[in-house]
Amino acid sequence: MWKWVLLVAVTVAVTVPLDLIGVPSAALFAALIVGIVLALVSLAPAGVPRKAGIAAQGVLGVYIGTMVHRDALTALGSDWPIVLGVAVSTLVLSIGAGALLGLHRDMSPLTGSLALVAGGASGLVAIARELGGDDRVVAVVQYLRVALITASMPVVVTVVYHAEKSGHAAAPATQGDSAPWYLSIAMLVVIVLVGATAGRLARMPGSGLLGPMAVTIALELTGTSFGLAVPMALVQLGYAVIGWQAGVAFTRESMRAIGRALPAALSLIVVLNVACAGLGVLLAHVTGISMLEGYLSTSPGGIYAVLATAVETGSNVTFIVAAQVVRVLLMLFAAPLIARGLSKLTQRPHTRASTSDSREPIRVAD
């Protein structure tokens, strides 16, 4: 029990300053780092209960689902085919880059594919282990991707696109009145139970996350969500549980294995970012939006930094939000299926995995 108290206390102490400086999914990042450190010095709990991990996936799935609004998606108008085509191209590029990363001797093709999927980092970390990948590697590489994109965006926007702050920035579309917190929590519980159960019966990969997300999206698009809003305290707790799940499983050997793969991962992340910027040029040419808006619409990550930049530069925020939502949803729903299929096609005998042998596997059918 004292190890859990220590883990929670240190995670909260690290999360607060990270949240204040605007780190995306601060609780997940803090929980991952704290879990790793405590695990390496043998002060971490043995593991996170499976039911807690499934509940955290459900909360995160509903939270992501509430970001989908009819008004934002209708902003695409007749441009939706090219936006969808760009999102599919981004998926293909990221899966291809992940397959190359999976050629590394310390990584399986499935883990490599999930690690470089350009969108839904926290969701992919949440379901990586259930799909048969190493959630520790996925977490580290995904956060490296998000950090690199977020850090480079202000430089690219200023140097390449010569953007300046606008005093008349348009605000993004927002949802109507939210339901009372107690009603939202009651709806959340029902959606998680129904969505996870339906997803499991349908043999959906990552059913704990994708099932509730699918139900929430259906409610949002049909206008029957009744102002559902997931309390941020629950979102932060969900992030923390997912971060702990990956962090406390680290060992010194797994750290060395991930360290050996990071140079290749970093190179592939840079290539992926440049390729997506090229897709932004294509999108701008076809739809008539500016080059800056094309770049922001196709950025393969850092969605919070994207939206903040769009608002500050007076860009078409509604279009950018819609394009980014299409990308994230496509990544979360399609990437697990493609990654699993790719891993079956590229299975190598005697592949060395960075996952500890002593770690209890989670059956995909569960």
PDB file of all heavy atoms in Angstrom, residues 261-283:
ATOM      1  N   ALA A 261      16.818   1.645 -29.685  1.00  0.00           N
ATOM      2  CA  ALA A 261      15.900   1.868 -30.808  1.00  0.00           C
ATOM      3  C   ALA A 261      15.569   3.340 -31.020  1.00  0.00           C
ATOM      4  O   ALA A 261      15.034   3.698 -32.073  1.00  0.00           O
ATOM      5  CB  ALA A 261      14.609   1.082 -30.575  1.00  0.00           C
ATOM      6  N   LEU A 262      15.893   4.220 -30.056  1.00  0.00           N
ATOM      7  CA  LEU A 262      15.481   5.622 -30.151  1.00  0.00           C
ATOM      8  C   LEU A 262      16.086   6.371 -31.342  1.00  0.00           C
ATOM      9  O   LEU A 262      15.380   7.185 -31.963  1.00  0.00           O
ATOM     10  CB  LEU A 262      15.801   6.348 -28.845  1.00  0.00           C
ATOM     11  CG  LEU A 262      14.816   6.110 -27.699  1.00  0.00           C
ATOM     12  CD1 LEU A 262      15.191   6.949 -26.496  1.00  0.00           C
ATOM     13  CD2 LEU A 262      13.387   6.407 -28.124  1.00  0.00           C
ATOM     14  N   PRO A 263      17.356   6.195 -31.698  1.00  0.00           N
ATOM     15  CA  PRO A 263      17.875   6.915 -32.870  1.00  0.00           C
ATOM     16  C   PRO A 263      17.085   6.617 -34.142  1.00  0.00           C
ATOM     17  O   PRO A 263      16.758   7.531 -34.909  1.00  0.00           O
ATOM     18  CB  PRO A 263      19.317   6.409 -32.981  1.00  0.00           C
ATOM     19  CG  PRO A 263      19.691   6.023 -31.584  1.00  0.00           C
ATOM     20  CD  PRO A 263      18.434   5.457 -30.996  1.00  0.00           C
ATOM     21  N   ALA A 264      16.748   5.353 -34.357  1.00  0.00           N
ATOM     22  CA  ALA A 264      15.945   4.993 -35.532  1.00  0.00           C
ATOM     23  C   ALA A 264      14.556   5.599 -35.439  1.00  0.00           C
ATOM     24  O   ALA A 264      14.016   6.112 -36.436  1.00  0.00           O
ATOM     25  CB  ALA A 264      15.849   3.470 -35.649  1.00  0.00           C
ATOM     26  N   ALA A 265      13.966   5.577 -34.249  1.00  0.00           N
ATOM     27  CA  ALA A 265      12.634   6.147 -34.061  1.00  0.00           C
ATOM     28  C   ALA A 265      12.637   7.643 -34.345  1.00  0.00           C
ATOM     29  O   ALA A 265      11.737   8.172 -35.012  1.00  0.00           O
ATOM     30  CB  ALA A 265      12.145   5.874 -32.643  1.00  0.00           C
ATOM     31  N   LEU A 266      13.647   8.342 -33.849  1.00  0.00           N
ATOM     32  CA  LEU A 266      13.738   9.792 -34.054  1.00  0.00           C
ATOM     33  C   LEU A 266      13.857  10.126 -35.534  1.00  0.00           C
ATOM     34  O   LEU A 266      13.190  11.044 -36.034  1.00  0.00           O
ATOM     35  CB  LEU A 266      14.945  10.340 -33.285  1.00  0.00           C
ATOM     36  CG  LEU A 266      15.159  11.854 -33.354  1.00  0.00           C
ATOM     37  CD1 LEU A 266      13.957  12.591 -32.778  1.00  0.00           C
ATOM     38  CD2 LEU A 266      16.428  12.248 -32.590  1.00  0.00           C
ATOM     39  N   SER A 267      14.670   9.387 -36.259  1.00  0.00           N
ATOM     40  CA  SER A 267      14.838   9.627 -37.695  1.00  0.00           C
ATOM     41  C   SER A 267      13.528   9.419 -38.449  1.00  0.00           C
ATOM     42  O   SER A 267      13.164  10.221 -39.315  1.00  0.00           O
ATOM     43  CB  SER A 267      15.923   8.700 -38.256  1.00  0.00           C
ATOM     44  OG  SER A 267      17.161   8.892 -37.602  1.00  0.00           O
ATOM     45  N   LEU A 268      12.810   8.352 -38.110  1.00  0.00           N
ATOM     46  CA  LEU A 268      11.555   8.068 -38.789  1.00  0.00           C
ATOM     47  C   LEU A 268      10.479   9.101 -38.449  1.00  0.00           C
ATOM     48  O   LEU A 268       9.631   9.436 -39.289  1.00  0.00           O
ATOM     49  CB  LEU A 268      11.072   6.666 -38.425  1.00  0.00           C
ATOM     50  CG  LEU A 268      11.893   5.523 -39.039  1.00  0.00           C
ATOM     51  CD1 LEU A 268      11.530   4.188 -38.401  1.00  0.00           C
ATOM     52  CD2 LEU A 268      11.659   5.454 -40.549  1.00  0.00           C
ATOM     53  N   ILE A 269      10.492   9.624 -37.229  1.00  0.00           N
ATOM     54  CA  ILE A 269       9.541  10.673 -36.841  1.00  0.00           C
ATOM     55  C   ILE A 269       9.765  11.928 -37.683  1.00  0.00           C
ATOM     56  O   ILE A 269       8.809  12.552 -38.169  1.00  0.00           O
ATOM     57  CB  ILE A 269       9.671  11.002 -35.341  1.00  0.00           C
ATOM     58  CG1 ILE A 269       9.131   9.838 -34.498  1.00  0.00           C
ATOM     59  CG2 ILE A 269       8.911  12.280 -34.990  1.00  0.00           C
ATOM     60  CD1 ILE A 269       9.419   9.964 -33.017  1.00  0.00           C
ATOM     61  N   VAL A 270      11.024  12.298 -37.886  1.00  0.00           N
ATOM     62  CA  VAL A 270      11.342  13.478 -38.703  1.00  0.00           C
ATOM     63  C   VAL A 270      10.867  13.270 -40.138  1.00  0.00           C
ATOM     64  O   VAL A 270      10.248  14.160 -40.746  1.00  0.00           O
ATOM     65  CB  VAL A 270      12.858  13.767 -38.667  1.00  0.00           C
ATOM     66  CG1 VAL A 270      13.216  14.866 -39.667  1.00  0.00           C
ATOM     67  CG2 VAL A 270      13.291  14.173 -37.259  1.00  0.00           C
ATOM     68  N   VAL A 271      11.129  12.089 -40.699  1.00  0.00           N
ATOM     69  CA  VAL A 271      10.692  11.787 -42.071  1.00  0.00           C
ATOM     70  C   VAL A 271       9.168  11.854 -42.171  1.00  0.00           C
ATOM     71  O   VAL A 271       8.614  12.406 -43.142  1.00  0.00           O
ATOM     72  CB  VAL A 271      11.199  10.398 -42.500  1.00  0.00           C
ATOM     73  CG1 VAL A 271      10.574   9.982 -43.830  1.00  0.00           C
ATOM     74  CG2 VAL A 271      12.719  10.397 -42.614  1.00  0.00           C
ATOM     75  N   LEU A 272       8.474  11.306 -41.177  1.00  0.00           N
ATOM     76  CA  LEU A 272       7.010  11.315 -41.175  1.00  0.00           C
ATOM     77  C   LEU A 272       6.472  12.738 -41.129  1.00  0.00           C
ATOM     78  O   LEU A 272       5.511  13.074 -41.843  1.00  0.00           O
ATOM     79  CB  LEU A 272       6.499  10.515 -39.975  1.00  0.00           C
ATOM     80  CG  LEU A 272       4.979  10.403 -39.811  1.00  0.00           C
ATOM     81  CD1 LEU A 272       4.355   9.709 -41.010  1.00  0.00           C
ATOM     82  CD2 LEU A 272       4.641   9.647 -38.523  1.00  0.00           C
ATOM     83  N   ASN A 273       7.077  13.591 -40.316  1.00  0.00           N
ATOM     84  CA  ASN A 273       6.634  14.984 -40.217  1.00  0.00           C
ATOM     85  C   ASN A 273       6.795  15.711 -41.551  1.00  0.00           C
ATOM     86  O   ASN A 273       5.917  16.475 -41.976  1.00  0.00           O
ATOM     87  CB  ASN A 273       7.419  15.714 -39.131  1.00  0.00           C
ATOM     88  CG  ASN A 273       7.044  15.253 -37.738  1.00  0.00           C
ATOM     89  OD1 ASN A 273       6.069  14.519 -37.567  1.00  0.00           O
ATOM     90  ND2 ASN A 273       7.810  15.668 -36.750  1.00  0.00           N
ATOM     91  N   VAL A 274       7.918  15.504 -42.214  1.00  0.00           N
ATOM     92  CA  VAL A 274       8.163  16.160 -43.500  1.00  0.00           C
ATOM     93  C   VAL A 274       7.164  15.661 -44.545  1.00  0.00           C
ATOM     94  O   VAL A 274       6.616  16.452 -45.336  1.00  0.00           O
ATOM     95  CB  VAL A 274       9.614  15.900 -43.966  1.00  0.00           C
ATOM     96  CG1 VAL A 274       9.828  16.434 -45.378  1.00  0.00           C
ATOM     97  CG2 VAL A 274      10.607  16.554 -43.008  1.00  0.00           C
ATOM     98  N   ALA A 275       6.906  14.360 -44.560  1.00  0.00           N
ATOM     99  CA  ALA A 275       5.950  13.795 -45.520  1.00  0.00           C
ATOM    100  C   ALA A 275       4.552  14.355 -45.294  1.00  0.00           C
ATOM    101  O   ALA A 275       3.832  14.679 -46.256  1.00  0.00           O
ATOM    102  CB  ALA A 275       5.939  12.278 -45.403  1.00  0.00           C
ATOM    103  N   CYS A 276       4.141  14.502 -44.035  1.00  0.00           N
ATOM    104  CA  CYS A 276       2.816  15.049 -43.736  1.00  0.00           C
ATOM    105  C   CYS A 276       2.732  16.527 -44.116  1.00  0.00           C
ATOM    106  O   CYS A 276       1.668  17.009 -44.531  1.00  0.00           O
ATOM    107  CB  CYS A 276       2.481  14.858 -42.262  1.00  0.00           C
ATOM    108  SG  CYS A 276       2.129  13.134 -41.823  1.00  0.00           S
ATOM    109  N   ALA A 277       3.832  17.247 -43.982  1.00  0.00           N
ATOM    110  CA  ALA A 277       3.854  18.644 -44.434  1.00  0.00           C
ATOM    111  C   ALA A 277       3.631  18.706 -45.938  1.00  0.00           C
ATOM    112  O   ALA A 277       2.956  19.610 -46.447  1.00  0.00           O
ATOM    113  CB  ALA A 277       5.178  19.291 -44.053  1.00  0.00           C
ATOM    114  N   GLY A 278       4.177  17.739 -46.668  1.00  0.00           N
ATOM    115  CA  GLY A 278       3.932  17.659 -48.108  1.00  0.00           C
ATOM    116  C   GLY A 278       2.465  17.412 -48.409  1.00  0.00           C
ATOM    117  O   GLY A 278       1.905  17.980 -49.363  1.00  0.00           O
ATOM    118  N   LEU A 279       1.803  16.563 -47.602  1.00  0.00           N
ATOM    119  CA  LEU A 279       0.367  16.347 -47.767  1.00  0.00           C
ATOM    120  C   LEU A 279      -0.410  17.630 -47.495  1.00  0.00           C
ATOM    121  O   LEU A 279      -1.455  17.880 -48.111  1.00  0.00           O
ATOM    122  CB  LEU A 279      -0.108  15.240 -46.822  1.00  0.00           C
ATOM    123  CG  LEU A 279       0.373  13.826 -47.128  1.00  0.00           C
ATOM    124  CD1 LEU A 279      -0.090  12.865 -46.028  1.00  0.00           C
ATOM    125  CD2 LEU A 279      -0.155  13.355 -48.480  1.00  0.00           C
ATOM    126  N   GLY A 280       0.112  18.465 -46.589  1.00  0.00           N
ATOM    127  CA  GLY A 280      -0.529  19.746 -46.309  1.00  0.00           C
ATOM    128  C   GLY A 280      -0.500  20.667 -47.519  1.00  0.00           C
ATOM    129  O   GLY A 280      -1.456  21.407 -47.774  1.00  0.00           O
ATOM    130  N   VAL A 281       0.612  20.632 -48.274  1.00  0.00           N
ATOM    131  CA  VAL A 281       0.706  21.424 -49.510  1.00  0.00           C
ATOM    132  C   VAL A 281      -0.351  20.959 -50.507  1.00  0.00           C
ATOM    133  O   VAL A 281      -1.034  21.777 -51.156  1.00  0.00           O
ATOM    134  CB  VAL A 281       2.124  21.299 -50.106  1.00  0.00           C
ATOM    135  CG1 VAL A 281       2.182  21.992 -51.468  1.00  0.00           C
ATOM    136  CG2 VAL A 281       3.158  21.897 -49.157  1.00  0.00           C
ATOM    137  N   LEU A 282      -0.501  19.642 -50.636  1.00  0.00           N
ATOM    138  CA  LEU A 282      -1.507  19.088 -51.538  1.00  0.00           C
ATOM    139  C   LEU A 282      -2.916  19.500 -51.111  1.00  0.00           C
ATOM    140  O   LEU A 282      -3.744  19.908 -51.947  1.00  0.00           O
ATOM    141  CB  LEU A 282      -1.393  17.567 -51.559  1.00  0.00           C
ATOM    142  CG  LEU A 282      -2.480  16.805 -52.333  1.00  0.00           C
ATOM    143  CD1 LEU A 282      -2.417  17.169 -53.817  1.00  0.00           C
ATOM    144  CD2 LEU A 282      -2.333  15.306 -52.135  1.00  0.00           C
ATOM    145  N   LEU A 283      -3.199  19.400 -49.820  1.00  0.00           N
ATOM    146  CA  LEU A 283      -4.519  19.769 -49.303  1.00  0.00           C
ATOM    147  C   LEU A 283      -4.821  21.242 -49.571  1.00  0.00           C
ATOM    148  O   LEU A 283      -5.943  21.593 -49.969  1.00  0.00           O
ATOM    149  CB  LEU A 283      -4.583  19.471 -47.802  1.00  0.00           C
ATOM    150  CG  LEU A 283      -5.920  19.761 -47.103  1.00  0.00           C
ATOM    151  CD1 LEU A 283      -7.014  18.856 -47.663  1.00  0.00           C
ATOM    152  CD2 LEU A 283      -5.793  19.564 -45.592  1.00  0.00           C
TER     153      LEU A 283
END
